[in-house]
Amino acid sequence: MLARAPHFLRAQVARTRVAPSARFVHGHGEYHHLPFEWPGKKRLSFGIKVTAFLVTGFSIPFAAAKFQLNKSGAA
């Protein structure tokens, strides 16, 4: 399609600059794979909180299933 375009249009497309990738434009200079700041000296408390959060979220379906089975008298 560009091959059939007029010469001035092809020249304009050739001069057009592509914007740099926004991956490294976050304002703090480097790319971080986590969406939050990693705590420096509070690693132990952060680990305990994350572990408690994940264990709670993972165990809720099992607790609900146990409750329902006990309620129905099946187990």
Side-chain angles (χ1 to χ4, degrees), residues 2-3 12 14 27 32 38 49 53 55 59-61 73:
L2 190 59
Q12 183 180 5
H32 294 288
W38 184 257
K49 290 174 189 176
F53 176 77
V55 166
S59 64
I60 286 174

Side-chain angles (χ1 to χ4, degrees), residues 7-32:
H7 176 66
F8 70 90
L9 184 60
R10 286 184 283 172
Q12 183 180 5
V13 169
R15 284 191 309 265
T16 304
R17 292 186 177 218
V18 178
S21 176
R23 180 176 180 180
F24 296 107
V25 184
H26 293 293
H28 50 75
E30 59 186 62
Y31 176 73
H32 294 288

Side-chain angles (χ1 to χ4, degrees), residues 36-51:
F36 51 87
E37 189 69 30
W38 184 257
K41 296 183 179 183
K42 301 176 185 176
R43 290 180 108 174
L44 181 63
S45 66
F46 179 75
I48 291 171
K49 290 174 189 176
V50 167
T51 302

